[in-house]
Amino acid sequence: MEKIVITIDGWSSCGKSTLAKQLAKELGYVYIDSGAMYRSITLYFLRYHIDWTNKAAVAKALKNIVLEFHHNEKTGESEIFLNGENVEYLIRDLVIAEKVSDIATIKEVRGFAVTEQQKMGKKKGIVMDGRDIGTTVFPDAALKIFMTADIAVRVERRFKEMFEKNPNITIEEVKNNLEMRDYIDSNREVSPLRKAADAIVLDNTHISMEQQLKFALNLLNY
Ligand code: DC
């Protein structure tokens, strides 16, 4: 089968990465987590106290950032490296989640990330998830999925995930963070979160992981 580009966009914590990983595994494609790129940029800005309201400071900082994905043989997962350091674990912290949407509104940051993402998709055979992948990054992608799920289900899923790492986290904190990010992500000026006109909606509130994979594979007649 000819390799294509598959895009998965949608709200925070509605299972985009789970579906993207399932599809990549099934099809032998590369999975790219575009959110991890915005999170890694956020980590860099926080670490080096970059004033992201200052355009020159942002431009200078972006010149010093190299982002790469490497396949982890042990876990079978793809992990992000920031200037050679594996930051896959660090970027999942709530401190990053609280700032990432703001940083992802910056035009220069988006320009940097989108250029890198487009390079990664040149050879096709990728599944990329995010917020603007079907609208801005790969508007010509052969399959676009837009995912959604009820907020209560999304909060519960993300809470479980974060609680494993940080037992002090509360449901309220997780809920507030998801709602804030959804708001900022869908209201920003540059490439806001939107369903592409030709994207197919997948609401996974009441379906299992197996069912969601089946749904996506059906779309490919696979
Ligand atoms: O998918 P995620 O929750 O890891 O993404 C973190 C943030 O990054 C998200 O709240 C908004 C931003 N993001 C974006 O603006 N565009 C993308 N394509 C992916 C993520």
Side-chain angles (χ1 to χ4, degrees):
M1 214 162 98
E2 197 193 330
K3 292 203 178 226
I4 60 166
V5 171
I6 301 174
T7 67
I8 304 181
D9 290 301
W11 307 99
S12 287
S13 287
C14 59
K16 300 183 298 292
S17 69
T18 303
L19 177 63
K21 282 179 200 167
Q22 287 175 304
L23 274 174
K25 196 167 168 205
E26 191 72 32
L27 303 169
Y29 278 21
V30 173
Y31 162 57
I32 302 289
D33 173 358
S34 71
M37 300 171 73
Y38 291 98
R39 286 172 180 266
S40 300
I41 295 168
T42 303
L43 174 65
Y44 185 96
F45 283 11
L46 291 176
R47 262 188 187 168
Y48 296 101
H49 309 287
I50 307 299
D51 171 9
W52 59 80
T53 61
N54 177 334
K55 270 188 185 236
V58 167
K60 194 171 160 213
L62 290 173
K63 282 208 178 90
N64 291 321
I65 295 180
V66 176
L67 299 176
E68 292 159 318
F69 287 91
H70 293 295
H71 185 76
N72 181 329
E73 296 292 338
K74 270 195 208 147
T75 60
E77 305 239 324
S78 129
E79 296 176 338
I80 193 158
F81 284 67
L82 165 63
N83 295 338
E85 175 192 355
N86 185 338
V87 293
E88 185 63 40
Y89 186 79
L90 285 177
I91 58 166
R92 307 293 160 193
D93 203 276
L94 191 61
V95 175
I96 302 293
E98 273 169 354
K99 293 282 177 286
V100 63
S101 282
D102 275 340
I103 286 172
T105 63
I106 303 168
K107 195 169 129 226
E108 291 71 20
V109 168
R110 301 207 70 80
F112 172 83
V114 170
T115 304
E116 294 302 309
Q117 290 153 8
Q118 288 172 336
K119 275 189 223 160
M120 294 173 191
K122 272 237 160 80
K123 290 192 198 141
K124 305 207 171 163
I126 66 161
V127 187
M128 191 178 290
D129 75 340
R131 305 294 186 291
D132 61 338
I133 312 302
T135 51
T136 302
V137 183
F138 298 117
D140 299 325
L143 175 63
K144 301 180 185 178
I145 297 174
F146 188 88
M147 286 183 72
T148 181
D150 284 357
I151 181 77
V153 171
R154 294 197 276 130
V155 169
E156 201 181 304
R157 286 179 190 158
R158 182 50 61 101
F159 175 71
K160 272 192 193 149
E161 212 177 276
M162 296 190 88
F163 185 78
E164 275 176 30
K165 279 169 64 178
N166 172 11
N168 293 321
I169 205 157
T170 65
I171 284 257
E172 273 308 298
E173 278 175 315
V174 173
K175 183 165 187 277
N176 290 342
N177 179 256
L178 288 194
E179 286 177 344
M180 176 195 76
R181 287 201 286 136
D182 283 350
Y183 182 82
I184 300 174
D185 295 347
S186 53
N187 285 286
R188 68 177 173 233
E189 227 166 88
V190 191
S191 305
L193 167 64
R194 291 273 183 280
K195 179 185 125 18
D198 51 351
I200 291 150
V201 175
L202 167 56
D203 181 336
N204 74 357
T205 307
H206 301 294
I207 64 170
S208 67
M209 273 163 52
E210 291 72 28
Q211 286 169 317
Q212 75 176 15
L213 175 62
K214 231 182 193 174
F215 175 92
L217 290 174
N218 269 340
L219 296 174
L220 291 166
N221 295 323
Y222 189 79

